[in-house]
């Protein structure tokens, strides 16, 4: 088959604000601001710091906090959500607190972590509203000027997201951690739902009227009887099926009236013997008519997922030029380390995708799908396998611990099903890439994506007779399923984290830089190893890629043309979030802002600081 070539241009915001989570509705994470450049970035200093006070190490409160929010800048104010789901308005030039709204999240209820990734902004030119969700299943509409709930929206500013979804499962959690997508007067919402049990609240995507809070449309992520895709569920296995939700960020093509969903795996994540079939629309990029919720197309990235390979990141809207014409496109990065570049109007891959045979499952009752889609280009940006001779050697203690974990284990290739024997696979359940997604530069047609190489280690264990499902995955790593040592350093030889620039004309890497350091290993004389990382990049017209993400409490700037690290700043905690940038309305300075919350699942240093940088 022919290799597809093309020019990729991203749809970007042209202003000096940052009005959407990824700056524009298509999630480019590109800014045209260029006061901060390659030549002066070394002079970048903290301009102000805002502390939310919302931080938890899991000792006082039940859960740990993860300050993962990306602020938005609109209407002359900076807006940010905290780990406890409070919403704050700040002066963009000084960080001075203007108002705070507190939805009074019950901190005694069990969730995954204290997480809220941001709010969405809507205006009709007169009224301004901020819409965001909570872990306990509320969609809120807040007046952007006053910080007060909009009394016309739902019940005094609140819509109950459990209503119509979760009544049959009163003990099951449902919530919203990512901001809604805004299309005209609609707030389009995904959700977080449980993936531990096969049955539970569905992952349906819904649109609500921004003015009234009334539900306008609903898309069944697991198609019901008579709907396209229902035939991919053997017998009645679609009924009551949990998962297949959009917990990450949606994208909108305002011109074409399309909304793009990154859907996740069906429940239960690791055993699908009770849901034989390809399981649409699990693990699919889905395009809907944004006004009606009607299906336009889908592309499934994993058939019958039994690895928890959710689509974790926002689909990025771009344009590919071929033969003198421009093709609107959407680029979807994955936990597996693949980048799928699809025609935005049809869902057809713009680089060839092969259905490659993969191993069968040894687990009784399981029926793994016989093939999986593998794009020929772009090349994978994350490790997808490991050989025994690649065992870590950074310290004798790490090597000994990891050798013990690996003893007798199956070192699988990508899409090897987890077996009854200890199974080690790459990438792990957090990727590869994760939720913040990539940044795309329209000037150079380059996609920038950060990734980590942390494997997973599991085995399938039979459950007692009468259990909900006969097999579950047992985590075998220190404190979870990750294949790392007692100091949380991966068990294979470094590097362990990268920032990769992918030239989307060719699918080839323009450059690839090691991302992150382990201070203890640097002190021992080892070169930079890279680290696990959760967060995303920002690319600017000033020639820079900014990124925190790394598990080393650093914020960095790279030359977007060469991948050379130009600036690094030590933060109070690791920044497991994506940065943003804007021009201050009074000072006219360019600010770069990032949430430094630490913690998450990778370290024990917690913080609540939002840090803004500017040139002196």
């Amino acid at each position: 088959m022919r290799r597809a070539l093309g020019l990729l241009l991203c749809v970007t915001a042209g202003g000096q604000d940052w009005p959407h989570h990824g700056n524009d509705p298509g999630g480019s994470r590109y800014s045209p601001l260029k006061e901060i450049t390659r030549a002066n970035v070394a002079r970048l200093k903290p301009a102000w710091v805002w502390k939310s006070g919302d931080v938890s190490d899991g000792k006082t409160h039940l859960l740990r906090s993860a300050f993962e929010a990306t602020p938005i800048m609109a209407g002359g104010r900076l807006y940010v959500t905290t780990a406890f789901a409070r919403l704050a308005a700040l002066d963009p030039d000084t960080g001075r607190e203007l108002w705070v709204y507190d939805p009074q999240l019950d901190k005694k209820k069990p969730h995954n972590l204290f997480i809220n990734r941001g709010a969405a902004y809507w205006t009709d030119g007169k009224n301004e509203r901020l819409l965001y969700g909570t872990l306990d299943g509320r969609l809120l509409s807040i007046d952007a000027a006053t910080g007060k709930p909009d009394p016309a929206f739902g019940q005094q500013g609140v819509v109950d997201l459990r209503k119509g979804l979760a009544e049959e499962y009163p003990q099951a959690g449902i919530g919203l951690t990512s901001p809604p997508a805004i299309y005209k007067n609609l707030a389009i919402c995904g959700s977080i739902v449980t993936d531990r049990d096969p049955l539970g609240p569905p992952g349906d995507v819904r649109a609500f009227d921004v003015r009234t809070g009334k539900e306008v449309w609903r898309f069944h992520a697991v198609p019901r009887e008579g709907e396209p895709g229902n035939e991919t569920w053997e017998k009645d296995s679609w009924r009551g099926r949990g998962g297949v939700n959009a917990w990450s960020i949606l994208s909108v093509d305002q011109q074409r009236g399309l909304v793009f969903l990154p859907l996740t795996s069906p429940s239960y994540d690791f055993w699908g013997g009770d849901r034989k079939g390809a399981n649409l629309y699990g693990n699919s990029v889905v395009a809907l008519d944004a006004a009606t919720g009607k299906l336009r197309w889908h592309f499934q990235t994993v058939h019958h997922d039994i690895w928890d390979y959710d689509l974790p990141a926002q689909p990025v809207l771009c344009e590919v030029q071929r033969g003198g014409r421009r093709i609107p496109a959407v680029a979807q990065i994955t936990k597996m380390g693949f980048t799928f570049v699809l025609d935005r109007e049809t869902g057809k891959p713009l680089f060839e995708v092969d259905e490659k045979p993969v191993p069968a499952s040894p687990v009784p009752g399981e029926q793994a799908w016989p093939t999986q889609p593998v794009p020929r280009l772009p090349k994978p940006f994350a490790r997808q396998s490991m050989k025994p001779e690649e065992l870590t050697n950074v310290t004798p203690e790490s090597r000994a611990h990891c050798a013990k974990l690996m003893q007798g284990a199956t070192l699988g290739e990508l899409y090897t099903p987890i077996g009854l024997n200890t199974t080690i696979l790459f990438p792990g359940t957090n990727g590869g890439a994760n939720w913040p997604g990539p940044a795309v530069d329209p000037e150079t047609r380059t996609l920038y994506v950060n990734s980590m190489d942390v494997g997973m280690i599991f085995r399938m264990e039979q459950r007692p007779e009468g259990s909900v499902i006969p097999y579950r995955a047992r985590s075998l790593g220190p404190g979870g399923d990750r294949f790392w040592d007692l100091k949380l350093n991966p068990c294979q030889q470094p590097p362990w984290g990268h920032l990769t620039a992918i030239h989307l004309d060719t699918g080839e890497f323009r450059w690839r830089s090691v991302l992150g350091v382990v201070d203890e290993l640097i002190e021992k004389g080892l070169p930079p190893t890279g680290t696990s990382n959760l967060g995303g990049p920002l690319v600017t017209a000033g020639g820079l890629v900014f990124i925190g993400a790394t598990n080393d409490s650093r914020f960095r700037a790279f030359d977007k043309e060469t991948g050379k690290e130009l600036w690094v700043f030590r933060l109070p905690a690791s920044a497991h979030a994506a940065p943003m940038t804007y021009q201050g309305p009074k000072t006219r300075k360019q600010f770069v802002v990032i949430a430094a919350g630490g913690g998450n699942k990778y370290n024990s240093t917690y913080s609540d600081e939002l840090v803004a940088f500017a040139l002196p």
Side-chain angles (χ1 to χ4, degrees):
M1 297 182 180
R2 290 184 304 172
R3 185 171 72 182
L5 301 177
L7 172 71
L8 185 140
L9 299 171
C10 256
V11 180
T12 62
Q16 298 164 339
D17 288 355
W18 189 278
H20 302 273
H21 191 272
N23 195 15
D24 53 78
S28 72
R29 296 199 169 279
Y30 169 82
S31 172
L33 295 178
K34 51 187 176 182
E35 179 191 356
I36 304 169
T37 67
R38 300 179 184 92
N40 62 26
V41 68
R43 298 171 53 219
L44 206 60
K45 301 290 184 184
W48 55 258
V49 175
W50 178 75
K51 296 184 178 182
S52 73
D54 293 358
V55 61
S56 171
D57 60 4
K59 296 175 182 177
T60 302
H61 299 296
L62 179 64
L63 305 174
R64 295 164 292 157
S65 59
F67 188 17
E68 295 183 351
T70 297
I72 55 175
M73 166 69 180
R77 303 180 191 90
L78 192 70
Y79 303 101
V80 63
T81 57
T82 73
F84 294 170
R86 295 194 306 142
L87 174 64
L90 308 177
D91 182 302
D93 288 294
T94 66
R96 180 174 63 89
E97 194 173 286
L98 303 176
W99 56 253
V100 176
Y101 172 74
D102 188 352
Q104 299 293 322
L105 183 70
D106 186 349
K107 302 176 189 64
K108 296 180 181 179
K109 289 187 176 180
H111 305 286
N112 180 14
L113 294 165
F114 286 125
I115 294 175
N116 194 293
R117 297 189 175 110
Y121 175 81
W122 171 89
T123 183
D124 60 3
K126 179 181 178 181
N127 302 292
E128 296 177 285
R129 296 291 181 265
L130 297 164
L131 295 108
Y132 76 110
T134 62
L135 284 167
D136 55 12
R138 289 175 284 164
L139 176 64
L140 309 169
S141 178
I142 308 300
D143 187 304
T146 66
K148 305 295 184 183
D150 177 3
F153 183 85
Q155 299 295 318
Q156 298 299 309
V158 180
V159 167
D160 182 0
L161 293 174
R162 295 185 64 88
K163 188 176 181 180
L165 281 188
E167 288 90 345
E168 294 182 38
Y169 308 96
Q171 303 304 315
I174 180 171
L176 186 63
T177 55
S178 295
I182 302 298
Y183 174 72
K184 296 184 177 178
N185 291 334
L186 297 178
I188 305 172
C189 301
S191 62
I192 52 168
V193 297
T194 180
D195 54 13
R196 289 294 302 165
D197 295 308
L199 304 182
D204 293 352
V205 175
R206 295 174 290 177
F208 299 91
D209 187 293
V210 169
R211 298 180 187 275
T212 67
K214 291 182 179 179
E215 184 178 314
V216 176
W217 58 253
R218 178 183 303 206
F219 172 73
H220 296 139
V222 175
R224 299 182 180 182
E225 197 166 18
E227 296 178 345
N230 178 263
E231 70 283 357
T232 64
W233 298 82
E234 186 177 284
K235 298 180 180 177
D236 286 339
S237 62
W238 60 273
R239 292 187 185 276
R241 183 62 54 179
V244 195
N245 53 310
W247 58 258
S248 192
I249 300 129
L250 316 182
S251 285
V252 174
D253 182 330
Q254 302 279 6
Q255 179 184 352
R256 293 174 176 79
L258 297 175
V259 59
F260 299 87
L261 321 177
L263 292 176
T264 68
S265 57
S267 298
Y268 162 63
D269 304 74
F270 301 106
W271 189 82
D274 63 340
R275 52 173 173 87
K276 294 182 176 69
N279 301 151
L280 290 174
Y281 294 99
N283 307 83
S284 298
V285 184
V286 173
L288 304 179
D289 184 302
T292 66
K294 184 179 179 181
L295 177 69
R296 294 286 291 269
W297 57 258
H298 75 275
F299 181 87
Q300 191 172 47
T301 62
V302 182
H303 311 311
H304 187 82
D305 185 7
I306 48 177
W307 303 274
D308 191 24
Y309 282 156
D310 295 354
L311 283 184
Q314 182 178 16
V316 177
L317 304 190
C318 310
E319 287 184 345
V320 175
Q321 183 171 305
R322 289 183 182 153
R325 68 187 186 99
R326 291 184 178 182
I327 303 172
V330 54
Q332 179 69 61
I333 62 169
T334 67
K335 286 184 178 180
M336 300 87 72
F338 291 134
T339 305
F340 291 93
V341 184
L342 310 172
D343 186 303
R344 202 186 311 171
E345 296 181 338
T346 66
K348 180 181 178 181
L350 296 177
F351 292 94
E352 297 289 353
V353 175
D354 298 321
E355 285 287 338
K356 290 197 172 181
V358 295
S361 173
V363 180
E366 181 59 85
Q367 191 171 309
W369 199 258
T371 63
Q372 294 292 346
V374 175
R376 296 188 180 183
L377 289 170
K379 300 185 296 182
F381 54 75
R383 172 186 282 270
Q384 295 181 331
S385 65
M386 175 187 168
K387 298 176 182 177
E389 57 268 26
E390 294 176 317
L391 184 68
T392 183
N393 55 10
V394 293
T395 67
E397 295 80 11
S398 178
R399 185 175 180 86
H401 177 82
C402 292
K404 187 175 180 180
L405 284 177
M406 198 171 71
Q407 189 172 4
T410 298
L411 291 178
E413 301 285 334
L414 183 66
Y415 298 127
T416 297
I418 300 167
L420 302 175
N421 183 45
T422 299
T423 308
I424 296 170
L425 298 173
F426 286 86
T429 54
N430 273 3
N434 209 279
W435 67 267
V440 186
D441 187 345
E443 300 175 33
T444 60
R445 306 170 306 281
T446 302
L447 179 143
Y448 301 91
V449 58
N450 56 297
S451 62
M452 59 180 167
D453 295 328
V454 182
M456 56 176 157
I457 178 167
F458 284 108
R459 70 167 173 259
M460 300 300 292
E461 291 191 344
Q462 190 168 9
R463 307 301 297 156
E465 187 174 348
S467 297
V468 176
I469 49 176
Y471 290 90
R472 285 192 180 272
R474 180 184 174 188
S475 303
L476 300 172
D481 62 62
R482 291 172 182 84
F483 185 47
W484 56 21
D485 64 20
L486 294 173
K487 294 186 177 181
L488 310 189
N489 293 322
C491 278
Q492 77 281 2
Q493 294 173 18
W496 300 322
H498 287 97
L499 179 63
T500 304
I502 302 174
H503 193 193
L504 289 169
D505 286 4
T506 64
E508 302 293 341
F509 296 165
R510 295 189 64 196
W511 51 258
R512 187 164 167 83
S513 296
V514 173
L515 182 62
V517 298
V518 177
D519 290 315
E520 181 182 350
L521 299 179
I522 291 290
E523 291 169 4
K524 291 180 182 293
L526 274 70
T529 56
T531 70
S532 55
N533 54 86
L534 284 175
L538 153 70
V539 61
T540 74
L544 300 167
V545 178
F546 289 96
I547 187 165
T550 48
N551 200 33
D552 60 7
S553 301
R554 264 74 160 194
F555 189 33
R556 294 176 168 88
F558 292 83
D559 186 318
K560 72 177 185 181
E561 292 295 334
T562 66
K564 181 181 179 181
E565 184 180 294
L566 300 177
W567 172 80
V568 59
F569 183 87
R570 188 72 178 255
L571 295 165
S574 294
H576 298 309
M580 52 82 75
T581 188
Y582 60 88
Q583 187 177 67
K586 297 175 184 176
T587 62
R588 313 308 294 170
K589 281 178 170 288
Q590 181 183 354
F591 293 86
V592 181
V593 180
I594 193 161
N600 205 294
K601 302 169 184 176
Y602 292 92
N603 61 72
S604 57
T605 301
Y606 295 83
S607 176
D608 62 346
E609 293 192 15
L610 187 71
V611 186
F613 296 86
L615 294 173

